[in-house]
Amino acid sequence: LLLSGNYEFPASQYPGHGISDELWSEDRSTYRKPVVNVALAPGLIRNTHPYHGPFDCDLAVANVSVVQAVDMPKQVLDFDVFFCDSVTDRVAVWNAVAEKQAQQGFGTKAFYFLEADPQLEGDSAFGGLPDIDVSMNYYDWADLHSNYIEDPLPWFRNTPMPFNQKRDYVFINTSCPPQRQALMEPLFERLPIDSFGGCLNNADVCEALPQCCNVPWVNRIHHEGPQKECVVYHYKFVFALENSYVYNYTTEKMWQPLKMGSVPVYWGHPSAKQIIPLPHAAIFVEDYPSLDALVDHLQELAADEEKYNQFLDWKQRPHSNAFIRETESGVLRSVCNLVDGLASGLGSRSNGSETMTSILGIESMTNAELPEENFNSRVFNPGMRYNAVH
């Protein structure tokens, strides 16, 4: 179940930091990267974190083996870092980590949470969570930033469906909170919107888009990925309404349309404007003085290929640094980012740095060849990706 030993990598793949001398081969042609065993609390794979298994973290100082920990008391000694995302999970995990720390002297508690929770908002250092070594989420107080992007940057350059083959408007939401229903119902009266979700449903995927009928709704990487993205690919506009109006809370409702070459008509916190690829990549409901003005603009764009395509030309242009950073902080990179964050000195409140010192086999973190800059401040090479190790 767990990885053992170290992977060997050619010198050409050296990430430029974090590999101490003893991990290099004698002729410096290959190097080894230690494996950090990460335990996901039982709810985390189901709710938030979409993958498990061994991964090559191409820019991190160590690779990662991610395993769902079903029986924490029995499995605790096999793991180095413990990931959880809810209060219930955290209590069980932290009790197990206490045993780990007592027996082996290290073990890191990482809190990973992406939902909008008023109890966690604000500028407090840990949002009322003092028992955590490292936090990962979109709040300003987090040690490491993370978000809902599930795909590497190159996937956002997918070629859109040609304008004249697209349908006009689609809405896909399972739940119908009051603010969502209040906005969408008047739009349904004015525009021919296809709705495939449980909220205001008026269409069936297999009837409207048979080519998407047999595409699975859920797979190992995406919670609601393949079929939803197949549907989105066939539309000019996707009405993307968040569940909550919270600073920095921008979910897959924005990212999936951008990836598939549709234009999000977005309702959510305006902080989303700071992290999209370019300003014209999305339409923000709040920018219009009335719903009539929004409808008029959408109808104009839906009928004019040249004007519409201006909202897709970001795919062929350099993206904003903020968007690049977001793609490198997404859910798919979260565990590998955590490894580098710990190696850079995060987690010192308790046992974070001690954990990485033990794993990397070095006397202290200050003796390692680690990057000076904060991990989340880097602007990454857009070609980077994850490589599953089998």
Side-chain angles (χ1 to χ4, degrees), residues 219-240:
N219 71 2
R220 179 172 177 263
I221 298 298
H222 296 86
H223 306 342
E224 303 174 348
Q227 188 177 78
K228 182 178 178 182
E229 291 182 347
C230 180
V231 171
V232 166
Y233 176 71
H234 289 82
Y235 284 83
K236 297 172 184 173
F237 301 98
V238 178
F239 287 94

Side-chain angles (χ1 to χ4, degrees), residues 71-129:
D71 190 344
M72 289 303 299
K74 291 182 180 180
Q75 293 180 299
V76 66
L77 296 179
D78 294 328
F79 300 103
D80 307 304
V81 178
F82 303 84
F83 242 13
C84 69
D85 75 335
S86 71
V87 173
T88 302
D89 282 341
R90 199 171 82 247
V91 171
V93 172
W94 283 193
N95 289 338
V97 174
E99 179 184 347
K100 168 83 169 183
Q101 293 173 342
Q103 294 191 31
Q104 297 186 356
F106 68 89
T108 296
K109 299 168 289 187
F111 182 67
Y112 186 86
F113 191 76
L114 294 182
E115 292 301 323
D117 187 341
Q119 296 182 7
L120 299 181
E121 293 181 37
D123 298 326
S124 59
F126 261 83
L129 303 171

Side-chain angles (χ1 to χ4, degrees), residues 197-219:
C199 182
L200 304 174
N201 177 268
N202 65 10
D204 179 80
V205 171
C206 294
E207 293 179 3
L209 296 168
Q211 61 271 43
C212 300
C213 181
N214 294 321
V215 177
W217 180 255
V218 177
N219 71 2

Side-chain angles (χ1 to χ4, degrees), residues 138-161:
Y138 59 85
Y139 292 108
D140 287 339
W141 51 260
D143 292 303
L144 287 170
H145 180 69
S146 193
N147 58 60
Y148 278 85
I149 296 180
E150 297 178 346
D151 301 294
L153 182 59
W155 292 20
F156 282 86
R157 297 196 176 104
N158 289 342
T159 302
M161 175 174 277

